[in-house]
Amino acid sequence: MAEIVLKPKGEIGITVEAEVIRPEMLAAKKKDEIERLQVWQGSEVLPLGDFFDVETTGDGSSEETTIVIDGDVPRVKYIGKGMRSGRIEIRGSAGMHVGAEMAGGSISVHGDALSWAGMEMKGGLLQIYGNAGDHVGSAYRGSWRGMTGGRILIEGNAKSQVGGGMAGGQIVVGGSVENFCAIRQNGGLILIRGDALRGLGAEMTGGTVAIMGSIRQFLPGFVEVGREESLKLGDLQIEGRFVKFSGDFAIHRNPKGLLYWREG
C-alpha cells in the first residue's frame, strides 16, 4: 500500500491544470519524480513541486495507491481526470473538473467542488461532502453524452444542469438543485432529496429522476401516469408516496423518461 500526500504551499492565483494528480501517474514514483511532473498555469508549464510539498510512504500499484491532498485547492483543476483505480482524498474544497471522465477508483472531497465535477464519468465513486457547482455528471460543451456509469454522491446542494445528457450511472444530491437538472437525460438515475427550481427533466427521453422536495416551475411536457409507494430504484430504497410522470413530451412523441415527485 502507498500513500502520497500533497500539501498546498500557499494560495494559488492563476488556476493550475493538474490532471497528473491521479494514481496512475503518481504510483511507484519517488518524491522527486512527483515534484517534477508538469502542470499548466496559464501559458506556462511548471513542476508540480512549485505548488505542493510532497510526502510519500509505502509502495504499490495504482490500485494500492491513495493520494491525499491536505488542504483547500479550489484553484486546481482536473484532479483525478480519467483515473481508473486507486483513491484520492481531498481534505478541503476542489476546483473545476474534479473526477472528470473517471472510470474507476474513488474520490472524496471533504468540502465543496466547483463546476463540471464528474463530467462524462464512466465508473468509480465521486463523493462530495459539501456543495457542488454547475454541470455535475454532465456532457461537455458540444457533446450530447454525459455520465455513463459510476456514482456521484453530494451531501449538500448542487447548482444547474446536474446530469445534463446523462446516459447511465447514479447521482444522489442530499440537498437541493437549481435550474435544468436532468436536461437531455436519456439513462441512469438522479435522486434529489431537496428542492428544484425550474426545468427539471427538460428534453428528457430516458432514465429516471426522483425528487423528494418541491419543484418551483414544473414542466408542461410531463404527463402523470400513476402513483407508487416506497420506490425501489436500483440499489436505493426511497420511502413515501410518489406521483409518477412520463416525459418530456415537448421534445419526443414517445419519451421513456420517468419523473417521481413525492407527495406532501
Side-chain angles (χ1 to χ4, degrees):
M1 302 295 288
E3 182 176 88
I4 300 165
V5 179
L6 305 178
K7 189 172 182 62
K9 287 186 171 180
E11 187 173 335
I12 296 172
I14 299 172
T15 299
V16 173
E17 298 180 12
E19 57 194 86
V20 297
I21 302 178
R22 64 182 192 272
E24 292 82 7
M25 288 294 296
L26 273 57
K29 284 186 170 61
K30 297 178 181 178
K31 178 179 183 294
D32 61 325
E33 293 176 310
I34 294 171
E35 290 172 338
R36 289 198 301 268
L37 289 172
Q38 294 183 332
V39 297
W40 284 90
Q41 187 181 46
S43 60
E44 290 188 276
V45 179
L46 300 167
L48 185 66
D50 280 8
F51 304 98
F52 293 95
D53 291 318
V54 179
E55 296 179 7
T56 64
T57 56
D59 194 14
S61 65
S62 61
E63 291 85 358
E64 301 168 317
T65 296
T66 296
I67 299 170
V68 177
I69 299 177
D70 192 12
D72 289 310
V73 284
R75 304 291 290 175
V76 180
K77 297 169 64 174
Y78 300 116
I79 295 171
K81 181 181 177 184
M83 68 180 280
R84 301 182 300 277
S85 59
R87 182 169 174 265
I88 298 176
E89 179 185 355
I90 302 171
R91 296 175 180 170
S93 295
M96 295 172 66
H97 297 273
V98 62
E101 301 176 20
M102 71 182 290
S106 68
I107 300 175
S108 59
V109 182
H110 295 269
D112 299 333
L114 296 183
S115 299
W116 301 105
M119 182 203 79
E120 298 185 5
M121 184 174 175
K122 301 174 182 68
L125 171 65
L126 172 59
Q127 188 156 16
I128 299 165
Y129 289 92
N131 300 315
D134 299 311
H135 308 292
V136 172
S138 290
Y140 197 54
R141 306 286 189 195
S143 173
W144 289 84
R145 191 171 179 82
M147 180 178 180
T148 56
R151 301 179 72 195
I152 300 176
L153 307 178
I154 302 165
E155 290 207 358
N157 302 316
K159 291 190 175 180
S160 297
Q161 297 195 33
V162 172
M166 183 180 184
Q170 182 186 101
I171 300 174
V172 178
V173 181
S176 298
V177 297
E178 295 185 4
N179 305 302
F180 296 102
C181 176
I183 185 169
R184 297 188 304 278
Q185 183 182 358
N186 59 86
L189 168 65
I190 300 174
L191 170 61
I192 306 156
R193 298 192 183 277
D195 305 325
L197 293 181
R198 63 190 180 97
L200 180 65
E203 300 183 11
M204 186 180 185
T205 58
T208 302
V209 175
I211 180 164
M212 302 178 74
S214 65
I215 304 173
R216 184 176 296 181
Q217 290 185 351
F218 189 75
L219 289 173
F222 283 84
V223 175
E224 182 178 338
V225 293
R227 281 174 163 75
E228 293 189 17
E229 296 268 2
S230 300
L231 297 179
K232 177 68 173 175
L233 301 175
D235 62 347
L236 297 178
Q237 182 70 44
I238 310 166
E239 299 303 321
R241 181 173 172 81
F242 290 80
V243 184
K244 181 180 181 181
F245 299 88
S246 180
D248 180 2
F249 284 91
I251 194 67
H252 198 280
R253 290 184 179 181
N254 187 31
K256 305 297 183 183
L258 294 176
L259 190 158
Y260 293 92
W261 187 0
R262 191 169 74 170
E263 292 184 312

